Amino acid sequence: MDMKETLGFQTEVKQLLQLMIHSLYSNREIFLRELVSNASDACDKLRFEAIDAPELYEGDAELSIRLGFDRDARTISISDNGIGMSRQEVIEHLGTIARSGTREFFGKLSGDQAKDAQLIGQFGVGFYSSFIVADRVTVLTRRAGLPADEGVRWESDGSGEFTIEPCERAQRGTEIVLHLREASGDGEQPESFDDLLDGWKLKSIVRRYSDHVSLPILMRKEEWDKDKGAYRTLDESETVNQASALWTRPKSEISDEQYLSFFKHVAHDDGEPLAWTHNRVEGRTEYTQLLFLPSKAPFDLYDRQQRHGIKLYVRRVFIMDDAEQLMPAYLRFVRGVVDSSDLPLNVSREILQESRDVKAIREGCTRRVLGMLEDLAENQTEKYATFWKAFGQVLKEGLGEDFGNRERLAKLLRFASTVSDSAEQTVSLADYVSRMKEGQDSIYYVTAENWATGRNSPHLEVFLKKGVEVLLLTDRVDEWMLSFLQDYEGKSLVSVARGGLDLGKLEDEEEKAQAQKVADESKDLIERIKTALGERVKEVRVTTRLTGSPACLVSDEGDISGHLERLLRQAGQKAPERQPILEINPGHPLVVRMKSEEERFADWSHLLFDQAVLAEGGQLEDPPAFVRRVNEMLLALAQRE
């Protein structure tokens, strides 16, 4: 293992390097942001490990990041005295993309340079942004606690391979040396990166993107040499960033630009947050929270096991970057920092699960986030619409997970409805209640696979006729959510596809009497259809909910809906046996025609049932039989003519 080795990159890394080298020149400054962020993380990790093993500091507990450049050699160097890497860690971290979701990363790439650049830090591949500006990268590192002769030198030109060899390194931590590209003159690399070999330029990038980093970022001072007409580098160093944790500073001293910069650092997101909250909470539990609402969903939003939202600090010492106990799962999109004054420095995930202080922090953070959402919903509707489009389905999970905040969450829900000819989910339950008809005592909804299926559902016909609004629920989570959201402000939520539809005061006595009369007159027809369909239906009956369709299917009270049955089967789960109820519209010409049919009555009955299945977005059990019946009937009609 003492020899120099040449190894190949993981296939995904090769793809990534091609992206860096050929596509992202217009976003070149992100390389410094990402490398400084990685250096800061390395120092945070050393602090955390040194809680139980202070000898890892090796007599040097002053952590910092150093940035330098050499005009003659055309190099930029970024170094830290953090945790460093062993040989195996170098291979694992710099030769592969260890994080899951690699395929999703490349699936997200759009060819748009600005959008692609936003993904780099989010997917934990920030180191490779070095190759945006460098045609060769050298890494010198030694893990804290290992002897000096176990240092590691890694080098690559980004062509698909890298070399790794042992080296003597007295200093723990990592130094990255970037050998800058030169303009090729052939259009492949149109510009030079010589402007980065300038102290003022590097400082301006640091202050723009990394001013919030709590560690000092040091650079050698420069002074103007009048005789040479150029800057001269001095031996003395200066700190070029604020070097204090942003969340510990008074809000009055922090500009919006600094908050936005910190969001990009903590969320690995080049977009702007929709809102943020920064507070120091005092009382039995003391902590500081700085929480952000992103405007875009991460690629793994629907993976409930992936939690990258909240960084936990204890008295400004970094503890962990995925403290899922500090925020409920339905708010996993929130990004930010919590700094506790009460938790022990050696806190573990097990302690977090059992701590009363953590429970208080979790409840406090949840209240703050819901408060931000309520403010957006009430005062900044466009921003809330952006939030809902990105995170609405996840927020709905809270109805079943957070009983204490169920009423607040219900007010934040948004739906599509029949009052708008659009699939946009903009209608709140409060909006719906404010538009309810006189005498209406329920909130009506229909669940469907998509907006078009829901909007054209035959179950809506009587509601459209009477001008009664119906919510169109098309998200996969909706059926689950409805098992927890059964009423709002005393108004029951009622599915228009449930059996026994009672319109209450919306239906006058004359209509009820007429409906009963039609039902009595149709008893013979109903019995014939029920006999023809047999076990395919639980019941056949006359309905008042249809005005333009011949029939529809409904579920009996206590049975699952047809939509939920389909969702379960699509997910590979066994759905409970469901026998639907067939409701017929005796005034429809097709049903009227059936009354006089003798020879093919069974075929007519099955066609009526199959049409109802298709109308609610279902799949036929026997499509060939359906096609055969339709063809035979069409031929019979043609022969009559």
Side-chain angles (χ1 to χ4, degrees):
M1 299 299 290
D2 293 335
M3 301 292 291
K4 181 176 181 179
E5 282 188 271
T6 300
L7 303 173
F9 284 113
Q10 179 191 35
T11 302
E12 288 82 359
V13 175
K14 293 180 183 178
Q15 293 177 259
L16 185 60
L17 290 173
Q18 291 304 305
L19 169 71
M20 300 299 178
I21 295 169
H22 298 294
S23 303
L24 295 176
Y25 293 128
S26 63
N27 299 281
R28 61 185 190 170
E29 291 180 355
I30 65 171
F31 86 93
L32 192 54
R33 178 194 72 189
E34 292 301 321
L35 294 182
V36 168
S37 180
N38 288 350
S40 175
D41 289 345
C43 292
D44 283 340
K45 289 174 183 175
L46 175 62
R47 272 199 190 122
F48 181 62
E49 291 194 20
I51 293 171
D52 294 325
E55 65 274 10
L56 292 177
Y57 280 129
E58 301 176 3
D60 176 19
E62 293 294 323
L63 302 178
S64 63
I65 300 168
R66 288 191 172 273
L67 178 60
F69 62 95
D70 185 327
R71 290 191 182 89
D72 296 331
R74 301 189 72 259
T75 61
I76 295 174
S77 62
I78 302 95
S79 63
D80 65 74
N81 58 346
I83 193 66
M85 291 180 283
S86 66
R87 177 187 177 84
Q88 187 58 37
E89 287 172 330
V90 168
I91 294 173
E92 290 175 357
H93 297 325
L94 304 188
T96 65
I97 301 177
R99 174 173 169 179
S100 62
T102 305
R103 181 174 299 177
E104 288 89 339
F105 174 83
F106 289 102
K108 291 280 186 179
L109 297 180
S110 63
D112 183 307
Q113 294 182 7
K115 291 180 180 178
D116 290 348
Q118 294 172 10
L119 297 172
I120 291 171
Q122 183 186 128
F123 282 78
V125 293
F127 167 76
Y128 302 109
S129 62
S130 305
F131 288 96
I132 295 174
V133 299
D135 56 15
R136 182 161 54 94
V137 177
T138 304
V139 178
L140 302 168
T141 186
R142 176 175 66 80
R143 202 182 202 286
L146 295 180
D149 61 1
E150 290 195 30
V152 181
R153 176 188 173 91
W154 179 99
E155 190 167 271
S156 177
D157 61 4
S159 63
E161 294 180 336
F162 60 88
T163 62
I164 186 168
E165 60 183 319
C167 72
E168 187 79 17
R169 182 171 169 81
Q171 173 66 48
R172 70 161 190 269
T174 301
E175 179 181 9
I176 299 173
V177 181
L178 310 179
H179 305 264
L180 297 188
R181 298 178 180 279
E182 296 192 47
S184 62
D186 58 5
E188 181 73 14
Q189 164 55 45
E191 61 177 316
S192 168
F193 293 109
D194 287 352
D195 62 316
L196 295 173
L197 298 170
D198 178 84
W200 181 89
K201 176 69 172 178
L202 293 176
K203 289 175 187 176
S204 69
I205 296 175
V206 167
R207 287 167 181 154
R208 185 181 312 154
Y209 294 112
S210 306
D211 199 47
H212 55 270
V213 173
S214 58
L215 296 169
I217 301 173
L218 305 175
M219 288 187 68
R220 299 272 288 277
K221 284 185 176 181
E222 292 182 299
E223 69 174 20
W224 184 255
D225 188 325
K226 295 181 180 179
D227 296 333
K228 295 184 177 180
Y231 280 102
R232 179 166 58 89
T233 303
L234 306 179
D235 291 333
E236 184 181 355
S237 295
E238 64 177 334
T239 301
V240 297
N241 64 324
Q242 289 271 355
S244 64
L246 185 81
W247 61 89
T248 65
R249 288 151 51 189
K251 288 191 286 187
S252 59
E253 297 179 6
I254 307 174
S255 66
D256 285 355
E257 185 179 356
Q258 289 172 317
Y259 277 122
L260 295 177
S261 178
F262 183 74
F263 167 74
K264 292 176 182 180
H265 165 74
V266 77
H268 294 294
D269 186 341
D270 264 358
E272 293 193 359
L274 294 170
W276 63 83
T277 181
H278 182 193
N279 303 281
R280 176 162 179 78
V281 180
E282 297 179 339
R284 191 183 68 81
T285 301
E286 294 189 3
Y287 61 94
T288 299
Q289 58 184 197
L290 176 52
L291 307 173
F292 296 88
L293 288 177
S295 56
K296 296 181 304 232
F299 81 103
D300 54 0
L301 177 65
Y302 295 103
D303 183 352
R304 289 170 58 89
Q305 304 305 313
Q306 292 290 345
R307 305 288 291 278
H308 315 292
I310 306 301
K311 292 180 180 288
L312 173 63
Y313 288 75
V314 174
R315 296 185 291 280
R316 304 184 193 181
V317 176
F318 172 77
I319 303 299
M320 61 184 70
D321 60 6
D322 59 344
E324 68 271 18
Q325 292 86 355
L326 299 180
M327 195 70 69
Y330 73 91
L331 296 179
R332 58 186 176 274
F333 49 81
V334 177
R335 298 292 182 260
V337 166
V338 168
D339 191 342
S340 170
S341 300
D342 302 317
L343 294 174
L345 285 172
N346 61 348
V347 65
S348 65
R349 294 187 185 276
E350 290 72 27
I351 293 175
L352 287 178
Q353 290 174 345
E354 301 169 359
S355 169
R356 291 177 59 193
D357 290 330
V358 169
K359 183 179 179 182
I361 293 172
R362 177 189 176 100
E363 291 173 351
C365 289
T366 301
R367 286 194 298 270
R368 285 290 180 182
V369 172
L370 294 182
M372 281 195 289
L373 293 175
E374 288 163 346
D375 179 67
L376 288 182
E378 184 175 351
N379 302 313
Q380 302 181 67
T381 53
E382 288 188 8
K383 283 190 174 183
Y384 191 73
T386 299
F387 163 80
W388 185 258
K389 191 171 184 179
F391 305 109
Q393 292 193 52
V394 174
L395 192 70
K396 289 178 180 179
E397 296 174 10
L399 273 296
E401 296 177 2
D402 191 350
F403 182 82
N405 287 304
R406 192 174 298 175
E407 289 186 11
R408 296 182 72 179
L409 288 167
K411 293 178 181 179
L412 292 169
L413 299 177
R414 296 294 182 268
F415 306 97
S417 91
T418 53
V419 299
S420 170
D421 194 25
S422 166
E424 293 295 316
Q425 298 180 358
T426 58
V427 177
S428 69
L429 292 174
D431 293 335
Y432 184 100
V433 170
S434 70
R435 293 194 288 259
M436 287 174 64
K437 295 287 185 181
E438 184 177 351
Q440 181 182 348
D441 56 9
S442 298
I443 298 171
Y444 295 105
Y445 69 87
V446 64
T447 57
E449 186 74 22
N450 53 58
W451 179 82
T453 301
R455 186 67 179 81
N456 297 311
S457 170
H459 299 102
L460 302 184
E461 291 176 0
V462 70
F463 295 93
L464 295 176
K465 178 183 177 182
K466 292 179 175 292
V468 176
E469 183 176 3
V470 178
L471 300 177
L472 308 175
L473 278 59
T474 56
D475 291 336
R476 296 179 70 87
V477 71
D478 286 337
E479 287 278 4
W480 179 85
M481 176 195 70
L482 288 165
S483 61
F484 303 98
L485 181 67
Q486 297 169 353
D487 61 81
Y488 176 78
E489 293 188 352
K491 310 289 186 182
S492 298
L493 272 74
V494 175
S495 170
V496 300
R498 283 286 174 191
L501 179 66
D502 183 5
L503 294 178
K505 296 178 182 178
L506 294 175
E507 192 173 37
D508 60 35
E509 293 302 320
E510 184 178 342
E511 287 177 318
K512 291 179 181 178
Q514 179 63 25
Q516 185 59 49
K517 179 183 177 182
V518 171
D520 293 340
E521 293 174 349
S522 304
K523 285 183 178 178
D524 181 58
L525 176 64
I526 289 171
E527 284 299 320
R528 292 175 68 194
I529 295 174
K530 177 69 172 71
T531 301
L533 293 178
E535 294 299 314
R536 296 190 76 183
V537 294
K538 176 183 283 190
E539 184 184 347
V540 179
R541 63 193 182 200
V542 170
T543 185
T544 57
R545 79 179 84 217
L546 298 176
T547 60
S549 298
C552 68
L553 297 178
V554 298
S555 293
D556 204 358
E557 296 298 329
D559 291 348
I560 67 170
S561 69
H563 181 54
L564 179 56
E565 179 187 35
R566 290 188 291 276
L567 287 177
L568 290 172
R569 288 180 176 173
Q570 290 169 9
Q573 299 182 31
K574 187 175 181 180
E577 288 296 326
R578 171 179 175 257
Q579 255 189 322
I581 296 171
L582 178 68
E583 293 191 345
I584 63 169
N585 175 8
H588 192 277
L590 199 62
V591 179
V592 172
R593 171 70 179 76
M594 287 181 66
K595 295 178 181 179
S596 60
E597 179 64 42
E598 295 293 339
E599 182 181 350
R600 307 191 68 85
F601 186 85
D603 285 339
W604 280 82
S605 299
H606 284 286
L607 272 177
L608 205 64
F609 182 89
D610 288 344
Q611 282 185 345
V613 171
L614 293 173
E616 70 171 12
Q619 291 185 327
L620 300 178
E621 293 181 4
D622 190 356
F626 172 76
V627 173
R628 175 180 57 77
R629 289 190 183 104
V630 170
N631 289 340
E632 289 176 355
M633 288 189 170
L634 289 174
L635 286 172
L637 288 172
Q639 289 170 359
R640 288 180 184 178
E641 294 179 358

